[in-house]
């Protein structure tokens, strides 16, 4: 069980992560209060190369609920099935997946967990290197799907694992990951308070 507290005190996340060989299955929950009060529940599964297979997400709040099933097919195509009920001032969930053919990972917004897949696949928690990735980024709590180009670069090893520079557009953060490749500290987002 990995638990992160938001650095701004309006968000928290807990995930039960089961790893074996080069894959994991995570069942998690996020709680937040901005832009509206919400709860997000998710199940994230990877294949045996730390590549996303499915991300199933539900978000709900006072009088509204939405869901998203994001799937990466073995041939590399993505599909997104979304649904929404109730009234809330958020964009419609889902989106066009046509531009995601080169993406192998999803990135669940505001979640330190989904940063682990490219780190694990390229063993950046264990050795020097850098990788550019296209992600199927899912915004939270609206559950819209977007193309996101991201870069992960091993800066140095640390006593607990490694420091990885994450860059997306103009945003940069140096992520502290543990020896298993999972985020311990994500500046301006969350810090792990329990697990491993």
């Amino acid at each position: 069980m990995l638990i992160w507290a938001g650095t701004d005190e309006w968000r928290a996340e807990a995930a039960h992560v089961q790893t074996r060989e080069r894959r994991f299955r995570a069942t998690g929950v996020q709680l937040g209060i901005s832009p509206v009060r919400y709860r997000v529940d998710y199940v994230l599964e990877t294949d045996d190369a730390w590549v996303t297979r499915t991300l199933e997400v539900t978000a709900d709040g006072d009088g509204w609920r939405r869901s998203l099933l994001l799937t990466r097919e073995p041939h590399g195509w993505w599909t997104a099935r979304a649904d929404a009920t109730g009234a809330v001032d958020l964009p419609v969930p889902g989106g066009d997946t046509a531009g995601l053919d080169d993406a192998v990972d999803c990135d669940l917004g505001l979640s330190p967990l989904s940063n682990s897949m490219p780190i694990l696949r390229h063993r950046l928690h264990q050795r020097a290197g850098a990788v550019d990735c296209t992600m199927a980024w899912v915004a939270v709590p609206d559950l819209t799907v977007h193309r996101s180009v991201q870069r992960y670069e091993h800066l140095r090893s640390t006593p607990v694992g490694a420091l990885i520079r994450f860059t997306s557009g103009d945003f940069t953060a140096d992520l502290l990951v543990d020896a298993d490749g999972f985020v311990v500290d994500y500046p301006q987002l969350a810090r792990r308070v329990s697990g491993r």
Side-chain angles (χ1 to χ4, degrees):
M1 179 70 71
L2 305 178
I3 301 173
W4 293 272
T7 55
D8 55 13
E9 300 181 4
W10 57 266
R11 163 176 65 247
E13 180 172 356
H16 181 256
V17 183
Q18 298 169 295
T19 59
R20 71 180 162 89
E21 297 170 10
R22 293 173 44 86
R23 69 177 66 213
F24 71 75
R25 181 179 197 276
T27 304
V29 60
Q30 286 185 17
L31 301 173
I33 62 171
S34 180
V36 295
R37 292 181 182 175
Y38 66 87
R39 173 184 170 135
V40 166
D41 292 275
Y42 64 87
V43 177
L44 170 59
E45 291 191 54
T46 74
D47 68 12
D48 60 1
W50 307 113
V51 171
T52 299
R53 288 182 56 214
T54 59
L55 173 65
E56 188 171 359
V57 194
T58 59
D60 62 302
D62 188 20
W64 61 273
R65 180 177 175 86
R66 47 191 50 209
S67 63
L68 172 71
L69 176 60
L70 186 64
T71 304
R72 183 178 185 275
E73 303 296 338
H75 48 69
W77 294 347
W78 289 83
T79 59
R81 288 195 339 238
D83 187 40
T85 59
V88 63
D89 187 19
L90 292 172
V92 175
D96 185 5
T97 59
L100 297 175
D101 289 351
D102 58 340
V104 296
D105 296 309
C106 70
D107 183 2
L108 181 61
L110 306 176
S111 174
L113 177 67
S114 51
N115 294 100
S116 295
M117 282 133 25
I119 292 169
L120 289 165
R121 188 170 51 258
H122 298 281
R123 296 179 29 206
L124 296 175
H125 59 303
Q126 298 173 334
R127 64 184 185 196
V131 63
D132 295 310
C133 304
T134 301
M135 311 290 271
W137 182 72
V138 178
V140 169
D142 51 86
L143 306 187
T144 54
V145 180
H146 309 269
R147 176 185 171 87
S148 173
V149 177
Q150 302 177 358
R151 181 174 180 81
Y152 294 82
E153 179 182 3
H154 175 104
L155 297 180
R156 62 182 169 85
S157 296
T158 70
V160 297
L163 194 64
I164 309 293
R165 176 155 294 156
F166 167 75
T167 305
S168 181
D170 295 334
F171 178 79
T172 299
D174 292 346
L175 313 181
L176 179 63
V177 299
D178 63 19
D180 295 320
F182 293 97
V183 174
V184 174
D185 187 20
Y186 189 138
Q188 303 173 44
L189 180 66
R191 184 169 298 113
R192 203 159 82 204
V193 294
S194 178
R196 297 203 177 195

